Amino acid sequence: MTLAPVTSHSSRRRHDREIIALAVPAFGALVAEPLFVMVDSAIVGHLGTPQLAGLGVAAALLTTAVSIFVFLAYATTAAVARRVGAGDLAAAIRQGMDGIWLALLLGVAVIAVTLPSAPWLVEIFGASDTAAPYATTYLRISSLGIPAMLIVMAATGVLRGLQDTRTPLYVAIGGFAANGALNAGLVYGAGLGIAGSAWGTVIAQFGMAAAYLIVVVRGARRHDASLRPDATGIRASAQAGVPLLVRTLSLRAVLMIATAVAARLGDTDIAAHQIILSLWSLMAFALDAIAIAGQAIIGRYLGADDTQGAREACRRMVQWGIASGVVLGALIVLARPLFIPLFTGDGAVQDTLVPALLVVALSQPIAGVVFILDGVLMGAGDGRYLAWAMLITLTVFAPVALLVPTIGGGLTALWWAMALMMTVRMLTLWLRTRSGKWIVTGATR
């Protein structure tokens, strides 16, 4: 009887070490994307409110165009981690190479669609006449970097699956530094305005993609994994990503609806919404750092047929998620007088921003649970359930959000609708995790 508490305590410590080893470096890499947007927002915000409003619409469209393919990272992480758990490193890297080739093909296709349709996309998003030209300019230029962004996603998934989150951290640090310097130099030094911000981000993204490719190619050669595109493998990667694509499209629809509603509330509201969304994304990726660790850890345990380890790791990561959400919510409340002036000096935008930020702060513990359970189920390859769960969430959120301009409450009411969305997600994910149906062992699901 004395062994049970010791085993439980040692198990928690082991999982804590695994989570910290993967999550801390993953945090730095994950926040690179929202930090890119935050730097753009801070620099462009001082050009004027119309420019910041235009960036808000364009950034939402660009993020949607890229993030719908996040399965390139998440599905690859889970698949590679399972093969690592099964002891087959060559097959793990081969799986990753298929994902990288798929990323390149998808990136080219997205550019072909985005460039000619940019003005139409900005218009249907409800951008005002003053903001629309800036949104179109930023979207067209930034879309040129989409292939690099998708390659970064796929290559990151390979490394995470191999239990390496340090390399993505180093690449992210370099990319963030380059993005900040290029944005400042091109926007103000070269006088390119919002176009300079877009070009700076494109250059930084291609630099990051090149760094990742060097690392992955070296690993492939070391383990004798082929670098050539394989049609069967690429097709299999695409098919495996379909459920996660549905899940991500539903999530992006939520964010697009929120931005469209904010845009119709006026330039002040969409400018404030863009700042909140940048901060919300930063916190979401911070929480997702633990979820990324979960993807890699859960995939490895299931690949090694260790169901007990998978269950224990899931339980411990949820505890981490709740605690992290509480801390992040408190930081939002305490630090808001410090960071709000960094984004805008417009008093109307600041007044609109504060009450909505408090709603975001209150919902962070819920977000902590959501992101952790989402990562656990992704690591288990339970994409089909994730797709259905997110469709249910979208069905609940959409009518509530679309009523905001009619019922009043402005941006604060919109973010209460976002809090409702996160609560529905938490309930659907908790029910699945509790059922145990996500636990399927073996090198492949």
Side-chain angles (χ1 to χ4, degrees):
M1 295 179 64
T2 59
L3 292 178
V6 175
T7 302
S8 177
H9 178 69
S10 63
S11 175
R12 287 197 301 270
R13 290 186 61 184
R14 184 181 77 252
H15 290 305
D16 285 346
R17 287 194 298 268
E18 288 183 327
I19 293 167
I20 292 171
L22 291 172
V24 172
F27 171 78
L30 283 169
V31 300
E33 182 178 340
L35 283 175
F36 275 30
V37 178
M38 288 179 69
V39 168
D40 290 357
S41 299
I43 293 175
V44 171
H46 292 285
L47 293 173
T49 298
Q51 288 91 334
L52 182 58
L55 173 64
V57 173
L61 287 165
L62 181 67
T63 302
T64 299
V66 173
S67 296
I68 59 175
F69 302 114
V70 74
F71 70 83
L72 291 168
Y74 292 162
T76 301
T77 298
V80 171
R82 276 184 177 267
R83 285 165 172 78
V84 169
D88 193 346
L89 289 177
I93 296 178
R94 176 65 260 177
Q95 176 84 30
M97 290 303 304
D98 292 335
I100 290 173
W101 281 110
L102 178 61
L104 180 60
L105 295 173
L106 291 173
V108 173
V110 174
I111 288 180
V113 172
T114 306
L115 280 178
S117 61
W120 175 74
L121 291 171
V122 168
E123 181 181 355
I124 65 171
F125 232 69
S128 67
D129 291 340
T130 56
Y134 298 111
T136 301
T137 296
Y138 190 91
L139 180 60
R140 277 181 165 163
I141 296 171
S142 294
S143 67
L144 299 176
I146 288 176
M149 297 179 194
L150 298 187
I151 289 172
V152 166
M153 279 187 181
T156 301
V158 178
L159 296 178
R160 289 173 184 165
L162 294 170
Q163 317 294 297
D164 175 12
T165 56
R166 290 184 179 274
T167 299
L169 170 62
Y170 301 146
V171 175
I173 291 172
F176 174 69
N179 181 66
L182 287 166
N183 269 262
L186 294 175
V187 171
Y188 297 112
L192 297 180
I194 196 170
S197 177
W199 279 118
T201 301
V202 169
I203 295 169
Q205 289 287 354
F206 270 101
M208 293 175 66
Y212 274 117
L213 287 175
I214 290 171
V215 174
V216 174
V217 168
R218 285 177 178 172
R221 289 176 174 169
R222 184 165 57 250
H223 294 284
D224 295 323
S226 175
L227 297 172
R228 295 179 179 179
D230 177 69
T232 301
I234 293 172
R235 185 166 53 253
S237 294
Q239 291 172 347
V242 168
L244 288 182
L245 177 60
V246 173
R247 169 258 182 202
T248 304
L249 282 171
S250 301
L251 178 57
R252 295 312 307 176
V254 165
L255 299 180
M256 289 178 71
I257 289 170
T259 300
V261 170
R264 283 167 173 77
L265 294 174
D267 281 0
T268 297
D269 289 87
I270 185 60
H273 178 74
Q274 169 59 21
I275 294 171
I276 295 176
L277 199 59
S278 298
L279 292 166
W280 189 79
S281 297
L282 174 61
M283 291 181 293
F285 280 111
L287 292 171
D288 210 23
I290 307 172
I292 292 300
Q295 290 177 29
I297 293 170
I298 294 296
R300 193 188 76 237
Y301 277 130
L302 294 179
D305 297 328
D306 187 351
T307 59
Q308 181 180 351
R311 288 181 182 275
E312 291 176 351
C314 173
R315 186 179 304 111
R316 190 58 176 164
M317 283 182 286
V318 168
Q319 294 170 355
W320 276 68
I322 294 172
S324 299
V326 171
V327 171
L328 288 172
L331 284 175
I332 294 172
V333 174
L334 296 175
R336 68 185 189 280
L338 301 177
F339 63 74
I340 289 178
L342 296 177
F343 291 100
T344 180
D346 189 320
V349 175
Q350 292 182 355
D351 291 341
T352 303
L353 191 62
V354 172
L357 268 179
L358 295 179
V359 176
V360 175
L362 289 173
S363 65
Q364 285 310 293
I366 295 173
V369 176
V370 168
F371 282 98
I372 299 309
L373 294 183
D374 205 41
V376 166
L377 296 183
M378 284 184 187
D382 200 10
R384 188 182 298 272
Y385 181 83
L386 290 172
W388 281 110
M390 199 61 227
L391 285 170
I392 293 171
T393 302
L394 174 61
T395 302
V396 174
F397 169 78
V400 176
L402 292 173
L403 282 174
V404 167
T406 302
I407 64 177
L411 192 65
T412 302
L414 177 60
W415 277 93
W416 274 119
M418 291 289 285
L420 171 65
M421 178 271 296
M422 294 300 289
T423 302
V424 174
R425 287 188 72 191
M426 181 181 68
L427 291 174
T428 58
L429 297 174
W430 176 77
L431 288 172
R432 182 64 167 185
T433 306
R434 186 181 181 186
S435 73
K437 294 179 180 178
W438 55 280
I439 299 179
V440 179
T441 59
T444 58
R445 183 179 173 89

